[in-house]
Amino acid sequence: MAASMKALNPELKKYLRSNKLPDVYEALITGLAVMCPDDPHQFILDNLQVLIEKGLEGLEWDMFVAEFMKPVNRIISESNLEFIFNMDDDSMLPSAEMYEKAHLHYNKKSMKVCFCSWMQYYLIKKKERLELEAKMARAVTHHTNRILKLCLEEWMEWVKYRKGRQAMAFQKISHVLNVSIGRVIFQAWHSHTLDARRQREYFEMTLRLERGENMEDDDAFGQGTGEARDSLSNLPRKVAIQIFKYVDVADLARCACVCRSWKVITQANTLWNRLDFYQVRNRIMEGYAQRHNKSCDLSGPSGLKPLISCFVDHEVEFVHRVTDKVVTKLLYKCRPYLIHLNMRACQFISEPSFMSISECCNLQDLNFSQCLGLDDEKLKLVAKGCKILLYLNLSHTSITDASLRTLAKYCNNLQYLSLAHCKKFSDRGLLYLSSGKNSKKLDYLDISGCLQITPDGFKNLANGCTNLQTLLLNDFPTLSDDCIFPVAAKLTRIHTMSFLGSPNLTDEAFKRIANNKNLKKIKIEGNQRISDVSLRQIGTMCTNLEHLYIADCQRLTDLSLKSLSTCRLLTVANFADCVRISDKGVRQLVDGPCGPRLRELNLTNCIRVGDMAMVNIHKRCHNLTYLSVCFCEHISEAGIELLGQTHSLTSVDISGCNCGDQGLSALGNNSRRDVTLSECASITDLGLQKFAQQCKNIERLDLSHCMQITDGAIKNLAFCCRMLNVLNLAGCKLVTDLSIQYLSGVCHYLVQLDVSGCLLITDKALKYLRKGCKKLKLLTLLYCKGVS
C-alpha cells in the first residue's frame, strides 16, 4: 500500500492531508473493529454525520469507540496511516545530526556500562583482598597464642614434675628417717625384751629345779610361746584374710577365740566392711547346759556371743535374735570401714542400734527389709548420718510420707530404693521423693504391692524421677492403665519393667510402654487382658529387647512369637502357661534374627508344642543353654533325641514329657549340668544307667516320681556322677537305704537331698548321710514313715 501511495499526485496527497482523510479512515476502521456493529453501513453513515456536525478539530483515532471499551493506557501514540501517507516526505527522515547525536548517546551509554562493571569488579577484588588480610592477621594471632599456650603447658608440666619429685624426695627422706628411728627404738625394745625373757626363764628354771620337776616334759608341749602352730596361722596374712572372708559374723567371733594369731587375723579391716545380721542364729541348748551343768559363752572380738548348740531330744531349736547389745558392739568396732549392712528381719533392735548405724559415715548399702523397729524418726536419724547411701531397702516396713521426705532431703546420692509392700506412705510421699535432689540420680525403684498409690502418685513419680531405669510393679492387682500412661510418656530411659501379678493392665498400656526404644527387659505374669496386639507393638518398637518374661497370659498366640522374632538381641524368653502357643509360633520365633542368640527358652505347659518345635530349636538355637518343656505331652522320644544332639544345652527340664530310656540315653550324649526328669514314668534303671555313664559332670538331677527307679540305678548314678550337688528322689517308692549308702559313700559334694515319700527309707539311711555327706545342708524327709 505504501508503494502505491508514492505514485499519487502531490495535489491529491495534499488534498488528503488537508481534509484529514487518513485520520477519518483510521477512526472509522478502529470503531468498526472494536465496536463490531450489526449494521456497518449505518454505523459509518451515523459517524460521518457526527463529523460533519462537529468538524475535524477534535478528531482522534479512538473517537468512535465507546468510553467503556477504550483502553486505560494508550499503546499507539501515532497514527499508522499518517506514516503511510507520508512515506515520500523527506521531512520525516532522520538527519545527520540526529544520527550523530544517537551515536554519541549510544557510545556514552556503552562506556557508562563498561565503567560501572569495571568499578564493581575492582570493589569486589578490593573486598576479597581486605578479607584475606584480616584472616591472615587472625591466623597469625591464633598461631602465636597457640605457641604461647603450648609453651605454658609444658612449663606447667615441668613445674608439676619438679614439685612431685621434691615431694617424693621429701617423703623418702621422711620415711628413711622414721624407719631409722623406729629401727633403733625396736632394737632397743627387742634387746630389753630378750633380757627380761632370759631373766624370767632363769628364775622359772631355778624354781622348777628346787621343786624337783623333770625338764624334759617341755618337749611334749612345745616351746611355750603361746602361739598356735596350725597351718592357717603359718600362711601369709593376705591369704589367711581371704580364707576368713567366707566365714559369717558369728563364726568369725568364734574364730577370734581360738588363739592369738587367729584373733589378729579376724581383726583385719577388710573382714568387717560387710555385716549380715540376717544369717546370725542364736542356738539355745538348754538340754545340753542342764545335762552337763555348765554354760558356754565364747565372746568374739566385739562381744558377739557365738552360736550355742542345744540338743533336746535330738532336735535343734534356732532362734533369730539380734539385740541392741550385739549390734552396737559390732558397729562400734567396724564403723570406720563398714560399707554393706544387712539388718533384714532384725525384729528386736531399737534406738541404740539405729544410733550406732547413723555413726557409720561410709555406709553405702543398707537393708532394713522386714525390720519392725524402723519408723520415721529412726530412719531420719540414720539418713542424717549416712549421707552417701547408694542402696537402701525399706521393703515390708511401716514408713510413711515423712520418711520419703527425709530421704529426699538428706540422701542426695541414692540410686537404689525398695519400698515394696510398704502400706503407709501415699502419693504425697512420692511427690517428696521426686522433688528431692536425689530424684535425678535414682535409677532403681521397687514399689511392688503398694496398692495405696493412685494415678496421681505415678504422675508425681514420672515428673521428678526422669532418669529411672528399673521400675518394679509386682503384686499390684489394682494397677490400671491410667497409672502406666504418665510413666510410659515421661520415663524414657527405663530399660527394665516388671508387672508380675498385675492383671488389670490392657493392650493400651503396653502399647504406650513399647514406645520406649530403650526397653531391654520386661516381665508380665497372670494377665488375661494382654493380646497379640501388645506383643506386636513391643516386637516392632523395642529392638533392643533382651529379656522377655510372659507367663500365664493365655490370650497370646503364635502371632506374638512371630512379632518378637524381629528382636535381634533377645536372649531370654519365657512363655510358660501360654497354652495357645504351638509349633508354628516357636518356628517363627527361632527362624528370626533372635534364634541364634537365644540362651534361655521356657515353654512350660505349652500343651500344643510338639516335636516340630524341637526340630526347629535344634536347627537354629546354637547358643541355647536352658530349655524347659515341662508337661508338653506332644513331645515324643524323637524330639528329646534332638535335644540330646543340641550341644549347647547344659540345663534341660522335660518333666511330664513322654521320655523313656531311649530318649534319656540320647539326652546324655553331651555334657549336662542340670537335668529335671520329674514324673517321667517310662524311665527305668537301664536308661538312667546309660545317662549316668555319659553325663559324669552333672551337678543337679531331679528324678522325683520316676516310679521304676531302683537301688541299682542309684548305684550307677552315684559311682558315675560324683559331682552331684542337688538330687531329688521324692516319690521314688523303690528306693531303699542301700541307695542312700551308695550316695553317702561316693557323692561327698551333695548339698541338697530330697527323699520325700520314699517309704523304704529308715533311720539307717540318716546314719550313712551323717557319716559320708559332710556338706549336706538341706534334707527333706516328708512322708517317710520309716524314719523315727
Side-chain angles (χ1 to χ4, degrees):
M1 182 177 179
S4 63
M5 292 300 292
K6 289 181 181 181
L8 289 177
N9 188 2
E11 294 294 333
L12 180 58
K13 292 176 63 175
K14 185 176 179 182
Y15 176 77
L16 294 174
R17 184 182 301 166
S18 61
N19 293 298
K20 295 185 179 181
L21 290 179
D23 295 336
V24 172
Y25 294 153
E26 183 177 15
L28 290 173
I29 291 171
T30 302
L32 289 172
V34 175
M35 298 298 293
C36 298
D38 296 334
D39 189 357
H41 296 91
Q42 188 63 36
F43 178 81
I44 293 173
L45 293 175
D46 295 339
N47 289 329
L48 287 175
Q49 185 66 31
V50 173
L51 285 176
I52 293 171
E53 294 175 358
K54 292 185 177 182
L56 300 174
E57 298 300 329
L59 180 64
E60 294 182 357
W61 64 273
D62 57 351
M63 180 177 179
F64 304 123
V65 178
E67 290 296 330
F68 69 92
M69 299 186 69
K70 289 181 180 181
V72 179
N73 298 319
R74 292 198 173 192
I75 302 174
I76 301 174
S77 61
E78 188 175 354
S79 175
N80 192 32
L81 294 177
E82 186 72 22
F83 172 74
I84 294 174
F85 286 102
N86 293 330
M87 286 296 295
D88 57 344
D89 193 355
D90 296 334
S91 62
M92 298 303 294
L93 296 177
S95 62
E97 290 80 8
M98 294 173 68
Y99 279 113
E100 183 179 1
K101 188 175 181 180
H103 181 69
L104 290 175
H105 177 74
Y106 177 79
N107 288 342
K108 187 180 293 184
K109 187 75 172 181
S110 300
M111 291 177 64
K112 184 178 180 181
V113 171
C114 294
F115 180 79
C116 292
S117 301
W118 177 81
M119 283 297 296
Q120 187 175 5
Y121 173 78
Y122 171 78
L123 291 175
I124 292 173
K125 288 296 183 181
K126 183 178 180 182
K127 182 179 179 181
E128 291 178 354
R129 186 176 70 255
L130 293 176
E131 289 178 354
L132 181 62
E133 291 176 357
K135 289 181 180 178
M136 290 299 295
R138 290 197 300 270
V140 171
T141 304
H142 175 73
H143 179 68
T144 304
N145 294 337
R146 182 74 176 177
I147 293 175
L148 291 174
K149 183 179 179 181
L150 291 175
C151 295
L152 179 61
E153 289 177 352
E154 291 181 359
W155 178 77
M156 291 178 67
E157 290 292 331
W158 180 80
V159 171
K160 185 177 179 180
Y161 170 76
R162 292 296 302 172
K163 288 184 177 180
R165 291 296 301 270
Q166 292 176 0
M168 290 175 60
F170 177 78
Q171 290 179 358
K172 289 182 179 180
I173 294 172
S174 301
H175 178 70
V176 171
L177 179 61
N178 294 333
V179 169
S180 301
I181 296 174
R183 185 180 291 112
V184 172
I185 295 173
F186 182 80
Q187 288 177 353
W189 173 79
H190 186 256
S191 301
H192 175 75
T193 304
L194 290 177
D195 292 338
R197 178 181 176 183
R198 284 195 294 267
Q199 186 177 4
R200 185 177 67 254
E201 290 178 354
Y202 172 79
F203 284 107
E204 287 179 358
M205 184 171 58
T206 304
L207 291 174
R208 294 179 67 180
L209 288 174
E210 290 178 354
R211 291 195 298 264
E213 296 179 0
N214 188 4
M215 298 300 297
E216 295 179 356
D217 293 340
D218 290 342
D219 296 335
F221 298 95
Q223 299 178 1
T225 61
E227 290 294 334
R229 297 298 174 186
D230 59 285
S231 57
L232 187 61
S233 300
N234 294 328
L235 289 174
R237 178 178 172 82
K238 292 183 179 180
V239 178
I241 290 174
Q242 293 297 324
I243 294 174
F244 276 102
K245 280 186 177 181
Y246 294 95
V247 180
D248 60 12
V249 178
D251 291 336
L252 200 64
R254 298 180 66 183
C255 292
C257 303
V258 174
C259 63
R260 192 183 309 166
S261 62
W262 281 35
K263 184 174 183 179
V264 173
I265 295 172
T266 56
Q267 291 178 348
N269 297 343
T270 55
L271 296 177
W272 297 96
N273 62 4
R274 180 187 297 270
L275 286 181
D276 190 354
F277 288 104
Y278 183 63
Q279 297 181 355
V280 174
R281 303 288 189 272
N282 291 331
R283 301 172 186 171
I284 303 175
M285 300 187 178
E286 298 176 355
Y288 180 84
Q290 293 175 0
R291 185 178 306 170
H292 296 275
N293 194 20
K294 62 180 181 180
S295 61
C296 182
D297 187 5
L298 301 175
S299 300
S302 59
L304 175 66
K305 294 184 179 181
L307 305 182
I308 305 174
S309 302
C310 177
F311 294 89
V312 181
D313 297 332
H314 304 286
E315 294 181 359
V316 180
E317 180 182 4
F318 295 96
V319 179
H320 301 261
R321 184 177 293 274
V322 178
T323 62
D324 291 331
K325 182 179 180 181
V326 172
V327 174
T328 53
K329 287 186 177 181
L330 275 177
L331 293 180
Y332 181 80
K333 168 184 172 58
C334 58
R335 60 185 177 182
Y337 28 83
L338 184 63
I339 298 176
H340 308 274
L341 178 61
N342 187 358
M343 303 295 297
R344 179 182 176 186
C346 294
Q347 303 178 3
F348 301 99
I349 60 174
S350 57
E351 188 172 354
S353 298
F354 293 102
M355 183 69 72
S356 300
I357 296 174
S358 65
E359 295 175 356
C360 302
C361 300
N362 297 322
L363 197 61
Q364 298 180 11
D365 184 358
L366 183 57
N367 189 345
F368 280 135
S369 178
Q370 302 176 15
C371 191
L372 301 181
L374 181 68
D375 55 19
D376 295 337
E377 293 298 328
K378 296 182 177 63
L379 183 61
K380 184 177 182 179
L381 183 66
V382 173
K384 284 184 177 181
C386 307
K387 294 185 177 181
I388 63 171
L389 272 177
L390 300 178
Y391 306 94
L392 180 61
N393 190 340
L394 301 175
S395 59
H396 298 276
T397 57
S398 57
I399 62 168
T400 64
D401 295 338
S403 295
L404 297 183
R405 188 173 184 176
T406 299
L407 295 179
K409 183 177 181 180
Y410 297 105
C411 300
N412 297 330
N413 299 311
L414 198 62
Q415 299 177 6
Y416 174 104
L417 179 61
S418 177
L419 302 174
H421 300 281
C422 295
K423 306 292 185 180
K424 295 187 177 182
F425 74 91
S426 63
D427 297 339
R428 185 177 294 275
L430 292 181
L431 178 62
Y432 293 148
L433 184 65
S434 60
S435 60
K437 296 181 180 179
N438 61 346
S439 60
K440 303 300 180 183
K441 297 181 180 180
L442 193 67
D443 60 6
Y444 181 100
L445 180 62
D446 185 0
I447 50 176
S448 301
C450 299
L451 308 183
Q452 72 277 12
I453 302 178
T454 65
D456 294 334
F458 284 96
K459 288 181 182 178
N460 297 334
L461 182 66
N463 291 332
C465 302
T466 55
N467 293 327
L468 205 62
Q469 297 181 8
T470 301
L471 180 62
L472 304 185
L473 300 172
N474 302 326
D475 302 325
F476 221 124
T478 60
L479 190 66
S480 62
D481 293 347
D482 294 335
C483 300
I484 300 301
F485 289 161
V487 173
K490 296 185 178 181
L491 302 184
T492 57
R493 296 189 178 183
I494 281 189
H495 59 70
T496 301
M497 298 190 76
S498 180
F499 302 99
L500 304 181
S502 300
N504 291 328
L505 296 180
T506 64
D507 288 333
E508 188 63 30
F510 290 106
K511 284 194 289 186
R512 301 263 185 114
I513 292 172
N515 292 328
N516 182 9
K517 297 182 179 180
N518 296 322
L519 196 63
K520 294 182 179 180
K521 185 176 181 180
I522 185 169
K523 293 185 176 182
I524 307 169
E525 182 179 4
N527 192 317
Q528 308 305 327
R529 297 188 177 186
I530 185 175
S531 64
D532 297 332
V533 178
S534 299
L535 272 295
R536 181 168 64 249
Q537 186 75 5
I538 292 174
T540 303
M541 303 298 295
C542 303
T543 56
N544 296 325
L545 193 65
E546 297 178 0
H547 187 120
L548 181 65
Y549 179 93
I550 302 182
D552 194 17
C553 299
Q554 299 184 7
R555 293 184 61 189
L556 300 183
T557 64
D558 294 337
L559 295 177
S560 297
L561 274 67
K562 181 180 180 181
S563 303
L564 294 171
S565 62
T566 58
C567 299
R568 297 178 178 273
L569 303 179
L570 189 63
T571 56
V572 179
N574 190 327
F575 302 101
D577 297 316
C578 296
V579 294
R580 301 179 67 181
I581 293 176
S582 64
D583 293 341
K584 181 180 178 181
V586 176
R587 177 179 60 79
Q588 291 171 341
L589 177 66
V590 300
D591 284 347
C594 66
R597 296 180 64 92
L598 273 179
R599 290 188 292 105
E600 297 183 16
L601 180 60
N602 193 335
L603 299 173
T604 299
N605 204 26
C606 295
I607 56 178
R608 300 185 183 183
V609 173
D611 291 339
M612 289 306 301
M614 302 301 104
V615 172
N616 292 297
I617 289 173
H618 171 67
K619 287 182 179 179
R620 293 284 297 168
C621 301
H622 304 303
N623 292 318
L624 193 66
T625 58
Y626 170 80
L627 176 64
S628 176
V629 288
C630 300
F631 304 104
C632 296
E633 299 176 353
H634 295 289
I635 298 178
S636 62
E637 292 207 44
I640 295 175
E641 288 179 5
L642 287 175
L643 295 181
Q645 298 174 11
T646 306
H647 303 286
S648 60
L649 273 179
T650 58
S651 180
V652 186
D653 189 349
I654 55 174
S655 301
C657 296
N658 298 320
C659 179
D661 292 342
Q662 184 178 354
L664 184 59
S665 178
L667 195 62
N669 288 334
N670 297 297
S671 178
R672 311 289 180 205
R673 298 289 183 183
D674 183 2
V675 178
T676 303
L677 304 170
S678 179
E679 298 188 28
C680 293
S682 301
I683 294 177
T684 64
D685 292 351
L686 181 61
L688 186 58
Q689 179 180 355
K690 293 180 180 179
F691 175 80
Q693 290 174 355
Q694 295 171 337
C695 292
K696 294 185 177 182
N697 293 325
I698 192 170
E699 297 177 357
R700 303 172 66 91
L701 181 61
D702 188 349
L703 296 171
S704 57
H705 303 286
C706 295
M707 301 297 184
Q708 301 186 43
I709 299 298
T710 65
D711 294 336
I714 303 302
K715 177 181 179 181
N716 292 316
L717 179 67
F719 284 96
C720 294
C721 306
R722 303 192 177 193
M723 304 301 293
L724 271 176
N725 291 332
V726 179
L727 180 61
N728 191 344
L729 299 174
C732 298
K733 297 182 179 181
L734 301 180
V735 173
T736 66
D737 295 338
L738 189 59
S739 297
I740 307 301
Q741 183 178 2
Y742 293 142
L743 292 171
S744 61
V746 181
C747 300
H748 299 298
Y749 298 99
L750 203 61
V751 178
Q752 296 182 18
L753 178 62
D754 189 352
V755 290
S756 301
C758 297
L759 304 179
L760 303 179
I761 299 294
T762 64
D763 295 340
K764 191 175 182 181
L766 303 184
K767 295 180 180 179
Y768 295 141
L769 291 175
R770 179 183 180 186
K771 183 178 181 180
C773 298
K774 301 293 185 180
K775 297 185 178 181
L776 191 65
K777 293 183 178 180
L778 180 59
L779 176 63
T780 308
L781 298 167
L782 300 176
Y783 312 112
C784 293
K785 298 181 179 180
V787 178
S788 62

